[in-house]
Amino acid sequence: MISDNKAIFTIGTAAKMLEVHPRTLRIYERENLVKPLRNGQWRYYTMDDIKWIQCLRDMIHEHGISIAAIKKLLQYTPCWNIADCPFEKRKQCTAFMSSGLVPRKISVEQRSGDVAA
């Protein structure tokens, strides 16, 4: 299985996956909302990029938030607060899972080490 952070999708493929025009992805890049891997003139997107762009599209089209407003809000709060993502959706989000806000289960080794100490 391919990792979600491996840049493998060209702009054309990413656009088809997201059902948008490639120009839309270039706009998001120009606005610094997504930064695909560049190799010469080619752009390569990761699955994480695709998920993030879908989240952006939801904020824009479902919540009516402008690109400028999203950029401003992201300076003050994480995206899941802006998009009001349910926890089930957050669990699949790389940004949320790597944020350190998700409680980690204490392993059996840690418990037994704490008890012995």
Side-chain angles (χ1 to χ4, degrees):
M1 190 163 138
I2 297 171
S3 172
D4 281 357
N5 62 0
K6 185 160 176 69
I8 58 169
F9 304 109
T10 63
I11 192 168
T13 301
K16 285 179 186 173
M17 291 169 71
L18 292 159
E19 299 178 355
V20 300
H21 194 280
R23 186 177 326 121
T24 303
L25 300 179
R26 290 186 192 101
I27 290 168
Y28 295 158
E29 181 181 5
R30 186 179 68 234
E31 294 292 336
N32 294 315
L33 289 169
V34 66
K35 187 169 176 67
L37 177 72
R38 297 291 298 252
N39 187 0
Q41 292 184 341
W42 290 86
R43 292 168 174 85
Y44 293 96
Y45 294 83
T46 67
M47 197 62 211
D48 286 340
D49 292 333
I50 301 296
K51 291 175 189 176
W52 167 238
I53 293 165
Q54 188 57 58
C55 183
L56 281 173
R57 308 266 317 142
D58 290 348
M59 285 189 272
I60 293 166
H61 296 287
E62 290 179 21
H63 297 283
I65 305 171
S66 70
I67 289 175
I70 291 170
K71 288 173 63 173
K72 192 66 157 176
L73 288 167
L74 286 172
Q75 293 176 4
Y76 301 104
T77 190
C79 59
W80 54 85
N81 287 336
I82 300 168
D84 197 25
C85 293
F87 188 71
E88 287 303 311
K89 187 173 179 181
R90 290 182 196 186
K91 288 193 307 190
Q92 298 173 15
C93 174
T94 306
F96 182 72
M97 295 305 287
S98 65
S99 69
L101 298 176
V102 181
R104 304 282 192 257
K105 289 185 178 177
I106 298 174
S107 67
V108 175
E109 295 82 24
Q110 288 174 324
R111 284 188 189 164
S112 62
D114 289 344
V115 173

